[in-house]
Amino acid sequence: MTKQATYIIAEAGVNHNGDRQRAFALVDAAADAGADAVKFQTFNAKRLAALTAPKAAYQQQTTEADQSQLEMLEALELPLEWHAPLQTYAHQRGIEFLSTAFDTQSLAFLETLDLPFYKVPSGELTNGPLLWAFARTGKPLVISTGMATLSEVEQGLAVVCHALTHEHPPGSLKEVWQCWSEPEARANLVGKVSLLHCTSQYPTPMHEVNLKAMDLLAEVFQLPVGYSDHTQGTLIPVAAVARGATIIEKHFTLDRQLPGPDHKSSLEPDELTRMVQDIRAIAQALGDRQKAPQASEWDTRQAARQNLVAATTIREGELFTKDNVTTPVRAMVIWPWPTGIASGK
């Protein structure tokens, strides 16, 4: 998706708080930090939450206690008329504009913007109809797997497989699994799907990060993997890159003290900049797996490696022994003895 080794998505999400000026400022912060993309969320609160839907525990701690989830989400909607200007502005700033759809109508709207790919949120991994619709767009998908079991990830990929090979939705899960059983159908995922390991807790405690699960996803499904991070700080996303993440998604905000469900677990602009810099450095440091002298090592190698030299005057025809040869600077025991060096006989 990028010339960079790791694609970095700066997740603005709902941290605009319904403020248009703040939404554009978030684009600026993402671009200034060097991210590849800035991502928002597109949803209709009434289609997303029922009147009686409770808020998650972290939302109760970071928003007004007497506010319902529906009321909270209504205040955080990104108006449809903001999308195109934000996309244009992001492109002017040299980064991609992305947004995650949480319902089919919102997805249909995003289709009018010609986004480069779609991020499927963790909560929609088991939403078969929406996942099928995501895949039918023909755009590459980045699928987050927070809260999921391995079998749920497999089922989600099976739904995507069906959508990539069928024009009409499946009539049953049996049809989905029949499609999944065909190697040719599964091969369609390559180049179309990437998986993000994720822990859907805000913030995520260190003992629940489980980065090794990212390794499992790569091993089992043979697809590119990345990490959607909700920990505090920048350590874990950088560690994920060192472990092979090709995509990093990280929430950011202009100010962690702002009201709202995601600000507390988000990076501020200077932290986002540092994370991007560290990820770019780690990506360079990973190298190509070959063990050979680097270009800058050859001069050091010439100066540091020992050479076999005469320790005394050696007459023509005299055998080399451990007494008349040595190495400069410090003596070294050469073992096994090179061919031609006598052992004292």
Side-chain angles (χ1 to χ4, degrees):
M1 285 186 284
T2 176
K3 63 184 178 181
Q4 301 284 2
T6 303
Y7 194 90
I8 302 175
I9 301 171
E11 171 67 70
V14 296
N15 283 345
H16 52 81
N17 283 20
D19 185 311
R20 191 175 191 274
Q21 183 176 353
R22 184 175 290 126
F24 280 83
L26 285 164
V27 174
D28 279 327
D32 291 342
D36 293 291
V38 59
K39 189 173 80 64
F40 292 86
Q41 296 178 5
T42 303
F43 58 86
N44 180 296
K46 288 185 172 63
R47 289 196 293 264
L48 193 59
L51 287 171
T52 57
K55 289 191 288 189
Y58 80 92
Q59 294 172 335
Q60 294 173 4
Q61 295 170 4
T62 54
T63 60
E64 297 176 19
D66 59 348
Q67 184 185 48
S68 69
Q69 184 177 108
L70 177 59
E71 291 170 332
M72 177 191 73
L73 291 173
E74 285 178 328
L76 298 175
E77 286 183 9
L78 187 73
L80 298 184
E81 61 270 20
W82 293 5
H83 284 66
L86 282 169
Q87 183 183 44
T88 298
Y89 187 61
H91 290 170
Q92 290 172 351
R93 290 301 320 271
I95 61 173
E96 288 289 355
F97 171 86
L98 303 172
S99 191
T100 293
F102 289 80
D103 56 79
T104 53
Q105 292 93 330
S106 294
L107 177 60
F109 169 75
L110 291 181
E111 276 286 271
T112 68
L113 300 177
D114 192 24
L115 304 185
F117 63 91
Y118 288 121
K119 153 70 187 304
V120 179
S122 293
E124 309 310 321
L125 176 64
T126 56
N127 183 347
L130 180 56
L131 187 57
W132 198 89
F134 267 116
R136 282 302 298 171
T137 67
K139 297 285 181 65
L141 302 181
V142 176
I143 301 176
S144 192
T145 63
M147 306 172 286
T149 64
L150 194 64
S151 61
E152 287 173 333
V153 177
E154 184 177 23
Q155 180 170 291
L157 291 176
V159 170
V160 173
C161 268
H162 187 279
L164 293 176
T165 54
H166 294 76
E167 292 185 8
H168 302 289
S172 66
L173 270 178
K174 177 183 176 182
E175 292 181 33
V176 170
W177 288 120
Q178 285 177 327
C179 180
W180 180 249
S181 68
E182 299 171 4
E184 297 82 3
R186 294 198 302 273
N188 288 316
L189 295 176
V190 179
K192 283 286 189 179
V193 175
S194 300
L195 297 173
L196 298 186
H197 172 52
C198 173
T199 303
S200 299
Q201 180 56 266
Y202 306 79
T204 300
M206 288 296 176
H207 68 277
E208 292 188 348
V209 169
N210 193 22
L211 276 184
K212 290 183 179 180
M214 187 176 70
D215 306 352
L216 180 66
L217 291 174
E219 178 186 344
V220 171
F221 299 113
Q222 297 294 297
L223 294 170
V225 295
Y227 181 63
S228 179
D229 184 51
H230 300 128
T231 64
Q232 292 178 318
T234 63
L235 172 65
I236 299 304
V238 175
V241 173
R243 203 167 186 93
T246 60
I247 305 168
I248 290 294
E249 179 183 67
K250 181 72 175 180
H251 282 264
F252 77 105
T253 178
L254 300 179
D255 184 353
R256 257 195 303 274
Q257 301 309 310
L258 287 168
D262 294 342
H263 293 284
K264 297 296 184 193
S265 57
S266 300
L267 297 180
E268 292 187 340
D270 60 331
E271 296 168 317
L272 180 65
T273 299
R274 185 165 63 252
M275 185 196 78
V276 172
Q277 292 172 344
D278 288 346
I279 286 174
R280 301 300 186 218
I282 283 290
Q284 283 188 318
L286 287 175
D288 60 7
R289 291 176 58 91
Q290 299 303 312
K291 181 55 185 170
Q294 297 298 310
S296 63
E297 286 186 292
W298 285 103
D299 179 68
T300 306
R301 176 182 167 116
Q302 184 68 24
R305 286 285 176 86
Q306 303 300 303
N307 296 302
L308 191 66
V309 299
T312 64
T313 300
I314 302 175
R315 293 183 294 276
E316 184 177 352
E318 184 178 353
L319 293 176
F320 293 142
T321 71
K322 62 182 180 181
D323 296 319
N324 62 14
V325 295
T326 187
T327 57
V329 183
R330 64 183 185 273
M332 289 181 61
V333 176
I334 303 173
W335 186 264
W337 292 105
T339 302
I341 295 183
S343 59
K345 294 182 178 178

